[in-house]
Amino acid sequence: AELPPPYTAIASPDASGVPVINCRVCQSLINLDGKLHQHVVKCTVCNEATPIKNPPSGKKYVRCQCNCLLICKDTSRKIGCPRPNCRRIITLGPVMLIPEEQPAQPALPVQPDGTRVVCGHCGNTFLWMELRFNTLAKCPHCKKISSVGSALPRRRCCAYITIGMICIFIGVGLTVGTQDFARQFHATYVSWAVAYLLGLICLIRACYWGAIKVSYPEHSFA
């Protein structure tokens, strides 16, 4: 007779011969009647999946720390948990490869080089691979740009306000000091316009940096 899959022994709790299996998460019994053709079954107690067959060819099982069972390519080195309340990035090393003839084992995530950041727009957490703060980041969930840390927008807002006010003061000085000269040489008006325009652009940029959303780091990895 053909041997059962090696993930766990399928037994019968009584003489009725109904096949059952223990849940790999909560150890509750799962009734396999009519489900033996499936690769995985869902526990009715904890709602987590348990494999009962070898994964399809070229695939492997990986279980996240949140107990979500993932099926990915056997050559995958990094996968992400799809659950909205987890979103954990799991890095798979060579020792975590699961041959098809071996039972599936829980995969422990390896700490990635980066920082988990809480998006200032949507509140979701994402992995920011930069090892420094005071940078701009694009959230993979809402696709919006935010600043990682508040130092960068505060510094740039002050810088643009300073430059803008200097340009406006220069424009005012030119306007007051070259009125008579401008009546003879109309090109002088261009210098006024350039000074005021540069000042206005800097003040607009200062408003942009003052209103930009800030995303704060949750954890940092060495």
Side-chain angles (χ1 to χ4, degrees):
E2 186 178 355
L3 294 175
Y7 293 101
T8 187
I10 298 176
S12 174
D14 51 33
S16 62
V18 178
V20 295
I21 193 175
N22 288 102
C23 174
R24 302 299 292 276
V25 177
C26 67
Q27 304 303 317
S28 300
L29 289 177
I30 304 175
N31 190 334
L32 299 182
D33 190 22
K35 301 178 183 178
L36 292 177
H37 62 285
Q38 302 174 190
H39 282 83
V40 298
V41 291
K42 190 174 183 180
C43 178
T44 57
V45 177
C46 64
N47 290 323
E48 298 294 347
T50 293
I52 61 173
K53 288 185 178 180
N54 289 330
S57 178
K59 303 287 185 179
K60 63 181 176 182
Y61 296 123
V62 175
R63 193 177 293 278
C64 179
Q65 279 190 338
C66 69
N67 292 324
C68 179
L69 183 67
L70 309 174
I71 302 178
C72 61
K73 294 181 180 179
D74 55 10
T75 56
S76 298
R77 292 294 178 267
K78 184 176 291 188
I79 59 175
C81 180
R83 288 183 173 173
N85 59 346
C86 180
R87 300 292 184 185
R88 188 175 275 105
I89 304 299
I90 304 174
T91 301
L92 305 177
V95 298
M96 301 179 69
L97 295 179
I98 304 173
E100 293 185 3
E101 70 275 10
Q102 296 296 328
Q105 298 293 332
L108 298 177
V110 177
Q111 289 182 336
D113 294 329
T115 304
R116 296 190 69 84
V117 175
V118 180
C119 177
H121 293 280
C122 62
N124 287 320
T125 302
F126 63 93
L127 184 66
W128 179 236
M129 299 308 294
E130 293 286 342
L131 295 180
R132 57 191 177 91
F133 297 150
N134 305 329
T135 56
L136 294 180
K138 183 177 182 180
C139 176
H141 306 289
C142 64
K143 309 300 182 184
K144 294 181 180 179
I145 301 295
S146 61
S147 172
V148 181
S150 59
L152 177 66
R154 183 171 60 247
R155 185 170 61 247
R156 292 197 176 181
C157 180
C158 293
Y160 277 116
I161 289 177
T162 302
I163 297 174
M165 295 304 297
I166 291 175
C167 291
I168 290 178
F169 287 148
I170 290 175
V172 172
L174 290 175
T175 303
V176 174
T178 60
Q179 285 184 356
D180 296 334
F181 185 77
R183 294 189 184 97
Q184 299 179 8
F185 300 95
H186 298 293
T188 307
Y189 294 119
V190 176
S191 62
W192 300 2
V194 170
Y196 288 126
L197 182 61
L198 288 176
L200 180 61
I201 291 175
C202 289
L203 292 180
I204 292 175
R205 292 295 294 173
C207 293
Y208 167 79
W209 284 105
I212 193 171
K213 291 288 187 179
V214 178
S215 299
Y216 293 98
E218 182 180 73
H219 298 290
S220 61
F221 300 112

